Amino acid sequence: MARTPRKQAESEIYHVVCRGVGRQDIFEDDADRTYFLSALRDELASRDGETLAWCLMNNHVHLLLRMPLNELSATMRSVGSDYALYFNRRHDRTGHLFQGRFRSEPVETDAYLLTVVRYIHRNPVAGGLSRTCDYRWSSYRAYLGLSEPVGLTSCETVLSLLGGVDAFEQLHGEAGTGERCIDVDDDRRPLRDEEATLLARSLLGGMHPREVVSLPRPRRDEALRKLLSCRISVRQIERITGVSRGIVSRVRARAAGTER
């Protein structure tokens, strides 16, 4: 199936979202977060790109970037590849780290630019990582004149639109306008079996899911728990692995602590 072409922004400003494969965490600790931000900063500097806002959640990233579309794609490919190699090496992991290609939307108006900035900075609040927007792993603190991990954020555009820091803080205290931004959960359609098989191979370190049924029981159950941690349903796991639905259901119940 052909990929949908990305929409080009006349403003050259894009809201970008990328997430971990199967919604798995892509950051284990602050060293991982710092490496990702440093890789992004260095790549943007080499391509004359600019970061207007950013936020690192546990299993996904929001970025507001200004650069030509072709440079955006090259930047995200480079940073994603660099970080995945680093993460897999550091955490003794194999396989894909990110779920498919990154998502993006053009940001063409000043009003929507401010909507996206607020949305990105309120993500940790909505996700339960912070009670306020003052979250260390976002650009919010940079706008208040406080230090950020790697000096990534360009604040001038947003602050000039608002007229200063006081208006910036007020913006983030306001209720949302009802406009919807792209997010990691916008494509929660059921996976086709072919997609589930590719996802399973990534989660299982390259192993074909059909091999799971022949594994010793402890390894089989560990593999099933990995598959159950993402979007693959019990019935789909049965189809792509050959392990019976009853066994998969019991593994799920044990993992949830509900087995009787």
Side-chain angles (χ1 to χ4, degrees):
M1 182 181 297
R3 290 179 171 180
T4 303
R6 296 191 186 277
K7 295 180 180 179
Q8 185 161 341
E10 292 184 11
S11 65
E12 296 193 334
I13 298 176
Y14 298 90
H15 177 200
V16 173
V17 182
C18 54
R19 70 177 179 200
V21 64
R23 292 178 170 78
Q24 291 190 328
D25 286 354
I26 55 176
F27 304 110
E28 293 291 337
D29 54 28
D30 288 353
D32 289 347
R33 296 179 181 92
T34 301
Y35 188 95
F36 179 89
L37 293 175
S38 297
L40 176 62
R41 178 199 60 199
D42 294 346
E43 189 68 23
L44 287 171
S46 71
R47 297 180 183 275
D48 199 25
E50 192 176 13
T51 308
L52 305 183
W54 59 270
C55 178
L56 307 187
M57 302 293 282
N58 290 335
N59 65 1
H60 68 280
V61 174
H62 284 273
L63 305 171
L64 185 60
L65 304 177
R66 176 153 52 195
M67 61 196 317
L69 182 58
N70 64 317
E71 295 284 7
L72 173 69
S73 296
T75 294
M76 295 308 298
R77 283 196 302 270
S78 178
V79 173
S81 176
D82 180 6
Y83 181 72
L85 287 172
Y86 154 85
F87 186 90
N88 285 354
R89 182 172 59 248
R90 182 169 187 247
H91 299 290
D92 193 23
R93 180 187 178 278
T94 57
H96 294 290
L97 179 62
F98 293 101
Q99 177 75 55
R101 63 176 187 160
F102 67 93
R103 305 190 69 220
S104 66
E105 64 172 345
V107 178
E108 297 284 30
T109 67
D110 291 346
Y112 192 56
L113 173 64
L114 297 179
T115 293
V116 174
V117 168
R118 177 177 58 215
Y119 183 81
I120 288 174
H121 291 151
R122 290 191 64 84
N123 224 240
V125 180
L129 293 183
S130 177
R131 296 181 62 183
T132 70
C133 295
D134 189 8
Y135 170 67
R136 182 184 178 193
W137 296 103
S138 84
S139 51
Y140 183 84
R141 292 174 59 82
Y143 278 95
L144 302 187
L146 304 174
S147 62
E148 62 173 352
V150 298
L152 181 64
T153 312
S154 297
C155 304
E156 294 80 7
T157 297
V158 172
L159 290 180
S160 66
L161 287 174
L162 290 168
V165 174
D166 290 344
F168 175 85
E169 290 187 279
Q170 182 179 352
L171 172 74
H172 287 77
E174 295 173 355
T177 63
E179 292 188 70
R180 181 170 174 78
C181 305
I182 58 168
D183 209 333
V184 291
D185 293 326
D186 287 349
D187 60 344
R188 293 191 67 88
R189 61 174 176 80
L191 292 172
R192 296 190 297 270
D193 282 0
E194 296 83 0
E195 295 173 312
T197 298
L198 289 173
L199 174 56
R201 293 195 71 153
S202 178
L203 293 171
L204 299 175
M207 179 194 302
H208 195 284
R210 278 289 172 186
E211 298 178 52
V212 171
V213 70
S214 303
L215 294 174
R217 185 173 179 178
R219 290 186 59 202
R220 179 201 68 190
D221 290 356
E222 179 184 0
L224 292 175
R225 283 192 293 272
K226 288 181 179 179
L227 301 184
L228 286 163
S229 70
C230 62
R231 295 169 57 198
I232 308 178
S233 68
V234 170
R235 291 192 178 191
Q236 197 164 45
I237 290 173
E238 179 185 38
R239 290 198 301 273
I240 67 175
T241 66
V243 178
S244 73
R245 192 185 316 167
I247 290 175
V248 178
S249 296
R250 285 196 293 274
V251 170
R252 182 176 66 176
R254 285 199 295 273
T258 59
E259 185 180 46
R260 295 181 178 180

